[in-house]
């Protein structure tokens, strides 16, 4: 079953006065923004505007997938408590709105959570835009036909297999963040676990801050784990500070050891160790010169780390701050792709990818090399 997060807010300047609402629909697994909408309501009360925002968010989620479950987050204690059934609804203007909101999805498929106002900034901003402009607008991120078809295939059962969305349960979702740039990154030098362990550059620190802001906007991260190397711990620390979470160091997320190639460019390796490089490119069991780690050994390590973390974080969304080879390996293993696929993936500094893992052993790649948060 697909899950959406709805963040909604409403406001009235005068109570009653000129009012508007804003709402955002997110994919719970990836944090991707699917819908943003706002509307100017004319003169109504603050609470009516909040309910109208809730109703719009639920309808938008229903339009995306009527079989989904929804988790609503609002900073209105009144709406959250009333829709959760803990407070009675007495006001005549709110009763029909609450009843209508309760009919959008079947009972039991919508949950409610109160959040502080500072955690509901996107919906609040949209509500204020509605009140400022006196108009309504919406933005829906549409999938390409190929992407939509792929999502349908991933979300539906294989005929006769007995494997379907209702059977899989909530996945463990790993959001994979590559660390920000170091001085070696733009020079495209091998930088693994056996090198100088460089720190983030000024550009890398800015990238980490942008990633942190993007993840805060998505609002889905519940835990943060990082490779023990300096650049990943620094990137993770920037995100953790923004999200108010702790960082756990996970040794299994460390980068591959590139042996004697550490600090060299690809061209320099080809010039100095041509035979070793050609063997390494064609054989996943081959080690870099000087006894580094083979891709086969990396895959074994990542698979073991994956299994451990999937068991520990079932039903949770976890940020893994790691490196190029581990992230590509997570994706390769999820797709069941051959080892040579590692050379066919682009993975930029501070990019985001995501893989969801289900209890039956199946996996779904949700995102790869997203760098939209790094654009001006």
């Amino acid at each position: 079953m697909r899950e959406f997060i709805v963040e909604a807010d409403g406001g009235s300047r005068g109570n009653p006065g000129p009012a508007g609402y804003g709402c955002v629909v997110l994919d719970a697994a990836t944090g991707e923004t699917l819908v943003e909408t706002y509307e100017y309501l004319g003169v109504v009360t603050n609470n009516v505007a909040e309910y109208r925002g809730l109703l719009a968010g639920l309808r938008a989620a229903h339009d995306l997938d009527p079989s989904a479950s929804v988790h609503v987050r609002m900073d209105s204690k009144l709406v959250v408590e009333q829709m959760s059934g803990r407070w009675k609804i007495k006001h005549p203007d709110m009763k029909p709105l609450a009843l209508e909101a309760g009919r959008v999805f079947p009972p039991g498929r919508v949950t409610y959570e109160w959040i502080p106002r500072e955690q509901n900034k996107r919906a609040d901003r949209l509500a204020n835009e509605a009140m400022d402009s006196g108009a309504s607008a919406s933005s829906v991120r549409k999938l390409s036909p190929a992407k939509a078809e792929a999502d349908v295939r991933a979300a539906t059962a294989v005929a006769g297999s007995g494997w379907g969305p209702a059977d899989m349960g909530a996945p463990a979702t790993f959001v994979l963040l590559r660390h920000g740039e170091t001085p070696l990154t733009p020079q495209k030098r091998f930088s693994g676990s056996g090198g100088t362990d460089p720190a983030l550059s000024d550009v890398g620190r800015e990238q980490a801050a942008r990633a942190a802001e993007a993840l805060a906007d998505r609002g889905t991260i519940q835990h943060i784990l990082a490779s023990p190397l300096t650049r990943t711990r620094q990137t993770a620390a920037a995100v953790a500070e923004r999200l108010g979470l702790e960082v756990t160091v996970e040794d299994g997320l460390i980068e591959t050891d590139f042996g004697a190639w550490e600090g060299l460019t690809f061209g320099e390796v080809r010039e100095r160790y041509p035979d070793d490089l050609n063997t390494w490119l064609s054989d996943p069991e081959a080690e870099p010169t000087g006894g580094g780690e083979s891709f086969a050994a990396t895959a074994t390590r990542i698979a073991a780390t994956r299994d451990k973390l999937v068991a520990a974080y079932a039903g949770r969304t976890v940020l893994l701050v790691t490196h190029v080879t581990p992230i590509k390996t997570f994706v390769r293993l999820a797709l069941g792709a051959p080892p040579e696929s590692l050379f066919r993936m682009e993975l930029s500094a501070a990019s985001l990818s995501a893989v969801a893992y289900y209890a039956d052993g199946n996996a779904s790649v949700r995102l790869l090399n997203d760098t939209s948060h790094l654009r001006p």
Side-chain angles (χ1 to χ4, degrees):
M1 181 183 294
R2 195 173 186 187
E3 182 181 4
F4 298 124
I5 293 173
V6 169
E7 297 175 348
D9 199 10
S12 173
R13 294 171 180 169
N15 201 27
Y21 71 73
C23 63
V24 182
V25 182
L26 309 170
D27 186 303
T30 66
E32 180 185 10
T33 300
L34 303 173
V35 178
E36 285 188 350
T37 184
Y38 62 84
E39 183 179 0
Y40 177 70
L41 299 173
V43 177
V44 299
T45 66
N46 185 71
N47 292 145
V48 167
E50 291 170 335
Y51 263 104
R52 289 288 299 274
L54 167 64
L55 186 56
L58 290 173
R59 286 172 171 166
H62 189 272
D63 288 344
L64 291 170
D65 187 348
S67 68
S69 62
V70 179
H71 184 63
V72 176
R73 301 193 301 205
M74 298 181 69
D75 60 61
S76 170
K77 189 76 170 177
L78 178 79
V79 174
V80 168
E81 292 299 316
Q82 287 181 340
M83 291 303 298
S84 298
R86 292 184 289 269
W87 292 2
K88 291 184 178 180
I89 305 171
K90 298 179 180 180
H91 198 285
D93 290 341
M94 288 186 284
K95 280 185 177 180
L97 292 172
L99 288 172
E100 194 171 356
R103 288 194 292 263
V104 177
F105 284 92
R109 277 217 256 126
V110 182
T111 56
Y112 291 87
E113 176 189 3
W114 177 85
I115 57 174
R117 185 174 182 181
E118 58 269 19
Q119 294 181 23
N120 202 29
K121 289 182 179 179
R122 294 178 67 183
D124 178 73
R125 172 180 56 79
L126 291 168
N128 278 285
E129 284 185 25
M131 288 182 277
D132 290 340
S133 65
S136 63
S138 65
S139 173
V140 180
R141 184 174 298 176
K142 296 182 179 179
L143 299 175
S144 68
K147 178 69 164 64
E149 183 181 352
D151 279 0
V152 169
R153 287 199 303 267
T156 56
V158 176
S161 70
W163 176 68
D167 304 319
M168 293 187 290
T173 301
F174 296 165
V175 178
L176 304 162
L177 172 60
R178 185 189 170 192
H179 60 80
E181 283 190 11
T182 74
L184 301 182
T185 307
Q187 300 175 29
K188 298 187 181 299
R189 295 185 179 275
F190 283 93
S191 183
S193 57
T196 58
D197 193 16
L200 295 179
S201 63
D202 289 342
V203 171
R205 285 190 288 273
E206 174 62 25
Q207 290 172 333
R210 287 175 179 262
E213 198 61 39
L215 291 164
D217 286 343
R218 295 181 181 200
T220 58
I221 301 300
Q222 297 167 290
H223 309 275
I224 301 175
L225 280 70
S227 152
L229 297 182
T230 298
R231 53 195 181 273
T232 40
R233 288 190 288 108
Q234 288 178 327
T235 303
V239 178
E241 182 178 6
R242 179 65 181 84
L243 301 186
L245 297 173
E246 298 293 326
V247 177
T248 299
V249 173
E250 171 53 57
D251 290 339
L253 297 175
I254 201 167
E255 179 60 289
T256 299
D257 183 348
F258 295 110
W261 303 349
E262 294 280 359
L264 301 179
T265 66
F266 188 87
E268 289 169 341
V269 173
R270 182 173 290 283
E271 181 180 344
R272 300 182 194 184
Y273 310 101
D275 294 338
D276 289 351
L277 180 62
N278 288 335
T279 302
W280 181 72
L281 292 173
S282 61
D283 182 0
E285 299 284 349
E287 297 177 351
T289 307
E293 185 180 28
S294 69
F295 283 141
T298 299
T300 299
R301 168 167 58 86
I302 293 301
T305 302
R306 174 203 62 198
D307 293 347
K308 179 179 74 171
L309 297 182
V310 167
Y313 296 102
R316 313 290 284 175
T317 299
V318 185
L319 180 68
L320 306 184
V321 187
T322 179
H323 310 265
V324 168
T325 314
I327 293 174
K328 288 184 177 184
T329 302
F330 274 111
V331 173
R332 180 181 81 76
L333 294 175
L335 294 173
E340 56 265 30
S341 64
L342 294 177
F343 302 114
R344 299 172 185 170
M345 299 183 212
E346 177 68 24
L347 204 70
S348 304
S351 63
L352 290 166
S353 303
V355 183
Y357 297 92
Y358 294 90
D360 63 357
N362 283 284
S364 173
V365 176
R366 303 289 182 84
L367 191 69
L368 180 65
N369 197 39
D370 179 13
T371 58
S372 58
H373 52 285
L374 302 178
R375 298 169 194 156

